[in-house]
Each structure stands twice: as structure tokens, then as C-alpha cells.
Amino acid sequence: MAIFRIHHVTRYEYDRPVKESVNEIKIFPYKCPEQEILQHDLLITGQPEIHTFTDYWGNKSGNFNLLPPHKVLTIESKLLVRTTASSQLQINFHSTFDQLQEEMAGQLLLLELAQPDIIKTQSAINNIITIIKQPGKSVAAVTEHCSEYIFKNFKYLKGITNIETTVDEILQHRAGVCQDFAHIMLHILRSCGIPCRYVSGYICPNKDGMRGEGATHAWVEAWIPGYGWAGIDPTNNIWVTNKHVKLSVGRHFNDCSPVKGTFKGPAKQKLSVFVAVGYEDGNIFEETNDVHLQGEAATMDDNSEGQQ
């Protein structure tokens, strides 16, 4: 078991006052046996009331409105969490695709998460499948081989993709960041008939060389027959044990976006995200990232709506 102190600040700055900011947040730790929430505090500009609910995917989510004019919106999360998962893998590496079909029968959620989207370059995905899915291989082995293939054949490179980047574009770049690696893995596994879901959270490696520290991280959970949901991180080519902290799950990133919303006003906005991870040995890793926003320029109408 390990205890992590995570400080996450999302900060929107506007070049002129905006109003009626309506937002949905998914920065609450995911409720599951693998992690125990010791303390969680949220601080939001203007101290608006937060209405919480459980969404379709089982995530705790919150809605809030900030009605008065403002030039800054800050959403600050202070989390103290203990991960309780074992550091040793206990995944079933022997269960077959026939067993998977038996477990999926009549399970609408699993069937939904096993259905790939339609893309233009499915032939490239099919070529990858011929490499990773050999006859007789177990579901876990195919999942592991998929992660290894992405890790070895796609370059970890910041700045060439954004939250709107498609699987077709990722295949063209053969590069990206954790979100892109998760999306390409989801499409490959679903094309193999394996139910899988996108996971948003944090990685807490404490200087052991893993990529993705210092921001929200993304990985994949695959349904392994005889075991259940198993996390796997293609960015680092590892199965998830007790160094990942989970916030939310969904079909894609859009189901797990930490913050999204709208505001009224003719403003341009700037977004920065600060994440700090504190460890039991006293080490602290912290990083601030400026995030590129789609459609940053707003129209010159006081009642126009901007997205964030």
C-alpha cells in the first residue's frame, strides 16, 4: 500500500470578464476496492454550490454555476489517497476468447465497450491485429501484446496532438501522449472483440522513469475473463498495480474530461493545469502545463457562449 498527496489546480484566465459559467467536473476519486480516499477538498472560485451525481459510467461527477462576472476561474483539488492494490499481478493469463464470449452474453455494458468506432484506416488496425492476436492466445496475452506493440511502435511526443485528435490521425503521426496511446489501444482491443474502457487519473511513480507524471494521466482497462477489469498502461507498457490513482472511466476521453463547460462573454481564454504529487518519503513532483484550447477566439457578443 502507498499513500499519495495529490494537488491538482485547473485555472482558466479570460482577457475580459465572462459570466454564467456552467461546468461539469470529474475530479473525484473513483470508488473502487483498489484505492481508499483519506481526504478530499475542493476549492472553486466564488465557492459555488456543487451538485454531485453518479454518471452512466459510475463516475462521481459534479455540476456548478458561477454566475457573477469574473476574469479567473480556478478549480483546486487536494486529495490524500491510499492505493490498496497489490504490487504483484494476479491477472488470469489463461482465460480464452470463448470464455470472454460467455461472460459478455447479455451484458449490455460489456457489449457496448467491445464495439469499435468507425474509422477510415481500419485496415491499419487489422494489420496490427494480425501481429498481436495469434490463434490460441489468451485475452490477457493479446491485451499485453497490444500494449507492447504501441509502446514500441508509437513515439511519446508532446505537442503534436490535442483532445480532438482522432484515431486516424494518431495512426498517421505514429506518435502522441498518454491519451492518444489509450485511444489507439481501445480501438485495437475493441476490434479484437475485447471490452475495454478509457481511464483518467494520475500516475505516481516517484522517480522510477515512468512517463506521464506531472499531469492527469490516461490508461486502459480491459475485461479479462475470470478476473474482471484489469488496468494496463500502454504509455509505459505496464499492468496497473498500486502506482496509479483512478478518477473516472468511460468509452473515450470525452466521458472522463476533468472539467468541461460553457460561459457567456466575448472573451479569449487561457488554460493552465498544475499537478503536484507528494510521496511518503518526502519527495514532491510538480508541473504546470499550458493547454491548447480549440476555438479560443469568441465572437464579439456579450451573450455569446464559449466552451471550456
Side-chain angles (χ1 to χ4, degrees):
M1 294 189 292
I3 295 177
F4 306 111
R5 188 178 298 274
I6 300 171
H7 188 194
H8 180 179
V9 182
T10 303
R11 180 180 174 88
Y12 291 93
E13 298 179 62
Y14 311 98
D15 66 347
R16 64 194 73 187
V18 302
K19 59 184 179 180
E20 298 181 37
S21 179
V22 180
N23 297 272
E24 179 179 284
I25 54 175
K26 294 187 180 180
I27 51 176
F28 303 94
Y30 193 81
K31 188 175 181 180
C32 59
E34 292 77 31
Q35 55 191 32
E36 179 183 0
I37 312 312
L38 304 178
Q39 183 177 349
H40 187 216
D41 300 315
L42 278 178
L43 303 172
I44 300 175
T45 299
Q47 298 180 325
E49 183 178 359
I50 303 173
H51 302 275
T52 60
F53 62 97
T54 301
D55 72 6
Y56 175 78
W57 303 103
N59 305 308
K60 182 179 179 181
S61 306
N63 288 334
F64 71 86
N65 301 334
L66 187 59
L67 300 179
H70 54 279
K71 291 186 70 175
V72 174
L73 170 60
T74 300
I75 302 165
E76 183 176 8
S77 169
K78 296 181 177 180
L79 172 64
L80 186 65
V81 58
R82 177 188 289 120
T83 54
T84 58
S86 171
S87 60
Q88 303 297 317
L89 286 180
Q90 300 173 343
I91 296 168
N92 185 341
F93 274 87
H94 304 288
S95 51
T96 66
F97 278 84
D98 287 340
Q99 290 175 261
L100 177 61
Q101 291 300 314
E102 292 175 5
E103 292 191 8
M104 288 173 59
Q107 300 296 320
L108 296 181
L109 184 64
L110 293 182
L111 291 169
E112 179 180 1
L113 289 170
Q115 182 64 37
D117 295 327
I118 297 174
I119 65 171
K120 297 177 181 177
T121 51
Q122 182 63 38
S123 59
I125 296 293
N126 294 340
N127 290 337
I128 296 172
I129 292 173
T130 61
I131 297 172
I132 68 168
K133 187 183 180 186
Q134 304 298 326
K137 287 182 73 171
S138 69
V139 175
V142 171
T143 301
E144 187 173 73
H145 198 174
C146 180
S147 173
E148 180 184 24
Y149 181 91
I150 294 169
F151 182 78
K152 290 182 177 179
N153 292 277
F154 288 76
K155 186 177 181 181
Y156 185 78
L157 185 63
K158 295 181 180 181
I160 67 167
T161 59
N162 56 53
I163 61 173
E164 305 293 335
T165 301
T166 66
V167 170
D168 287 311
E169 291 169 332
I170 299 166
L171 285 168
Q172 180 181 357
H173 293 313
R174 306 290 285 191
V177 291
C178 58
Q179 174 184 294
D180 306 301
F181 287 14
H183 277 157
I184 196 75
M185 185 169 187
L186 290 170
H187 194 91
I188 295 170
L189 292 183
R190 288 171 183 159
S191 297
C192 293
I194 301 173
C196 50
R197 58 190 187 183
Y198 185 101
V199 186
S200 173
Y202 309 100
I203 188 171
C204 309
N206 199 8
K207 299 182 178 180
D208 67 0
M210 287 196 287
R211 301 182 293 194
E213 188 178 35
T216 51
H217 192 53
W219 60 95
V220 169
E221 285 184 341
W223 184 265
I224 306 300
Y227 180 83
W229 291 115
I232 189 164
D233 182 351
T235 303
N236 294 289
N237 193 28
I238 57 169
W239 290 95
V240 170
T241 55
N242 58 3
K243 293 184 178 181
H244 291 67
V245 174
K246 183 159 59 171
L247 290 179
S248 57
V249 301
R251 183 170 170 83
H252 298 299
F253 165 80
N254 288 340
D255 299 316
C256 304
S257 178
V259 182
K260 58 183 176 182
T262 63
F263 60 86
K264 281 189 177 179
K268 294 182 179 180
Q269 60 179 320
K270 177 184 176 182
L271 169 61
S272 61
V273 178
F274 167 84
V275 174
V277 179
Y279 298 95
E280 293 175 276
D281 62 5
N283 285 332
I284 298 176
F285 183 95
E286 59 183 41
E287 186 170 291
T288 300
N289 292 290
D290 292 325
V291 181
H292 173 71
L293 296 166
Q294 295 292 307
E296 288 179 296
T299 59
M300 298 304 292
D301 176 356
D302 284 341
N303 291 317
S304 65
E305 288 196 353
Q307 293 185 338
Q308 54 194 29

